[in-house]
């Protein structure tokens, strides 16, 4: 999954994972779980999450890699949500995929205008500390600088599936499934 904050990546990621019977690996969920448990690592992570900055790559990789390896072994695949988020992580993800024989079949890119994203983030501001207006705005800037370039990266590899994320949640799922069902067959 490749998507700006507020596009619905978590919701759609869970639905994709359920439909195809593979684990949903969400870097954000993993980090929030770690911070909620107030482990030493969690305290380190919360500084980045609270600001809306990217967690350093070495920390990200150390928390994600084992889950990818386990998912590949147990389920033959996985949905990655929130990772990779910059070019260095994309190279690492490709390496993990080679090592586990699970090369990416598709990169689902949820596309939405800034207006849609800002209003969705504002709407859930009560639920997530990092959805406050200032931090959400910063997350959108970080996305534009580091993550948006992955759209071209995956388009060049021929695996980008662009979806209009402004539609209703179920309609977005239907668009995604209709493409992924064809890729799977
Ligand atoms: P969103 O896409 O709405 O920003 P996420 O749950 O994917 O939500 O990410 C929340 C926060 O977790 C990010 O702002 C960032 O601090 C951190 N994060 C998540 N995934 C990564 C990653 N792959 N690399 C670096 N930081 C990450």
């Amino acid at each position: 999954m490749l998507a700006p904050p507020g596009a619905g990546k978590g919701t759609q990621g869970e639905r994709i994972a359920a439909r195809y019977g593979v684990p949903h690996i969400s870097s954000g969920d993993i980090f929030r779980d770690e911070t909620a448990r107030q482990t030493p690592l969690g305290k380190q992570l919360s500084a980045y999450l609270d600001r809306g900055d990217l967690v350093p790559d070495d920390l990200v990789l150390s928390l994600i890699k084992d889950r990818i390896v386990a998912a590949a072994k147990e389920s033959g695949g996985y949905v990655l949500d929130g990772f990779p988020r910059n070019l260095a992580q994309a190279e690492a993800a490709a390496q993990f995929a080679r090592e586990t024989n699970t090369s990416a079949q598709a990169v689902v890119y949820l596309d939405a205008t800034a207006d849609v994203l800002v209003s969705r983030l504002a709407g859930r501001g009560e639920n997530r500390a990092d959805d406050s207006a200032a931090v959400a705005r910063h997350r959108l800037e970080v996305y534009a600088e580091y993550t948006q370039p992955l759209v071209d990266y995956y388009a060049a590899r021929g695996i980008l599936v662009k979806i209009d994320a402004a539609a209703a949640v179920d309609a977005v799922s239907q668009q995604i499934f209709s493409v992924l069902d064809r890729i799977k067959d």
Side-chain angles (χ1 to χ4, degrees):
M1 317 270 322
L2 188 56
K9 169 168 67 65
T11 305
Q12 300 299 340
E14 273 173 26
R15 291 181 175 202
I16 295 169
R19 183 174 178 95
Y20 302 106
V22 291
H24 172 222
I25 302 175
S26 159
S27 50
D29 285 351
I30 292 166
F31 299 161
R32 280 185 290 276
D33 178 60
E34 203 71 40
T35 54
R37 287 188 291 117
Q38 303 216 317
T39 60
L41 183 59
K43 286 180 189 157
Q44 225 181 312
L45 291 168
S46 65
Y48 298 98
L49 266 69
D50 291 350
R51 288 195 303 262
D53 283 330
L54 292 186
V55 172
D57 291 343
D58 54 345
L59 258 183
V60 175
L61 298 179
S62 71
L63 280 162
I64 296 281
K65 181 165 185 187
D66 289 354
R67 287 167 167 97
I68 290 179
V69 171
K73 196 164 156 215
E74 286 155 27
S75 312
Y78 41 81
V79 176
L80 290 182
D81 165 354
F83 170 85
R85 222 175 178 96
N86 60 27
L87 280 168
Q89 291 183 13
E91 298 291 350
Q95 179 64 31
F96 296 165
R98 278 191 293 274
E99 287 169 17
T100 56
N101 236 342
T102 52
S103 288
Q105 290 172 288
V107 173
V108 175
Y109 168 44
L110 300 181
D111 186 33
T113 62
D115 283 355
V116 169
L117 300 173
V118 168
S119 76
R120 286 192 188 162
L121 288 166
R124 71 179 196 202
E126 306 283 297
N127 301 320
R128 249 174 65 177
D130 63 349
D131 281 342
S132 74
V135 178
R137 203 174 327 111
H138 182 59
R139 280 160 54 222
L140 286 166
E141 289 164 3
V142 169
Y143 171 83
E145 181 168 358
Y146 297 101
T147 312
Q148 179 76 32
L150 297 182
V151 173
D152 289 342
Y153 175 91
Y154 288 117
R157 280 159 183 70
I159 52 173
L160 193 80
V161 175
K162 185 172 165 175
I163 300 288
D164 174 13
V169 178
D170 287 343
V172 173
S173 302
Q174 285 315 314
Q175 285 184 63
I176 296 172
F177 296 160
S178 74
V179 180
L180 295 188
D181 282 356
R182 267 182 278 138
I183 290 173
K184 189 171 83 45
D185 294 339

